[in-house]
Amino acid sequence: MAQQINVADLDAPQLLDVKRQLDQELEHLTSSFGQLKQAQAKFNTCAENVKQLATSSGDTPILVPLTNSLYVPGRITDKNNVIVDVGTGYFVKKSTAEATTHYKGKVDFVTKNLESLQQVIQKKQENLNYLVTILQAKLAESKDSKSTS
């Protein structure tokens, strides 16, 4: 079990170490938040693309991605079924309704994670602000004690 320490009892160098650690944690959490936002946007785009495919006319020409930057022309002959990337290199044939449900589930999952991560980031930011306030008070106190000596 972690032991709680009152930061007001720490001296300035220790407070600076704690501040550095909190800054690193905040940077990592903020980066993770950005990555989750990108994943959320990607899944939303996938769901919208499946919906658009389902409403398209038959034998629709498209560009098929071979890599992130290489596309080849193709045609959609079966607009009722799609191949869905379910992760780690596995692909599954699903109906457009199942694919939409799959992607909406992914969006909901990522959204819940984003909400909880946002709360963690806010709490860490509050802790950092409190720590900076204590650090400034300690530095001002040490400056005052030096000037009166």
Side-chain angles (χ1 to χ4, degrees):
M1 186 166 148
Q3 180 182 357
Q4 290 187 356
I5 299 172
N6 186 356
V7 292
D9 296 338
L10 299 175
D11 59 11
Q14 291 172 321
L15 286 171
L16 285 171
D17 287 341
V18 173
K19 181 186 177 302
R20 235 183 321 269
Q21 181 180 357
L22 274 173
D23 284 337
Q24 288 175 347
E25 289 176 12
L26 264 172
E27 184 179 324
H28 174 72
L29 292 171
T30 304
S31 172
S32 296
F33 188 84
Q35 291 171 353
L36 280 175
K37 277 298 228 188
Q38 288 176 345
Q40 182 185 41
K42 177 184 161 195
F43 291 135
N44 270 325
T45 301
C46 288
E48 290 171 19
N49 288 342
V50 169
K51 282 183 188 176
Q52 185 180 13
L53 173 66
T55 60
S56 67
S57 60
D59 204 29
T60 307
I62 62 164
L63 290 175
V64 179
L66 294 181
T67 66
N68 286 341
S69 61
L70 179 62
Y71 293 81
V72 295
R75 291 206 171 279
I76 296 176
T77 57
D78 181 7
K79 66 178 190 169
N80 298 320
N81 294 297
V82 292
I83 304 285
V84 176
D85 181 357
V86 293
T88 62
Y90 290 98
F91 296 87
V92 176
K93 182 178 179 179
K94 292 184 180 250
S95 70
T96 52
E98 291 171 331
T100 302
T101 302
H102 171 79
Y103 286 123
K104 288 298 180 189
K106 291 277 192 181
V107 168
D108 292 343
F109 177 74
V110 171
T111 301
K112 287 177 188 172
N113 283 327
L114 280 168
E115 290 168 358
S116 65
L117 185 57
Q118 180 67 36
Q119 291 173 356
V120 170
I121 289 171
Q122 286 175 342
K123 185 66 177 163
K124 292 278 184 189
Q125 189 64 50
E126 289 169 9
N127 291 344
L128 182 61
N129 292 340
Y130 176 71
L131 184 73
V132 167
T133 303
I134 297 292
L135 182 59
Q136 289 172 340
K138 292 245 182 201
L139 292 175
E141 183 181 298
S142 75
K143 187 177 183 182
D144 288 343
S145 67
K146 285 182 182 178
S147 65
T148 57
S149 304

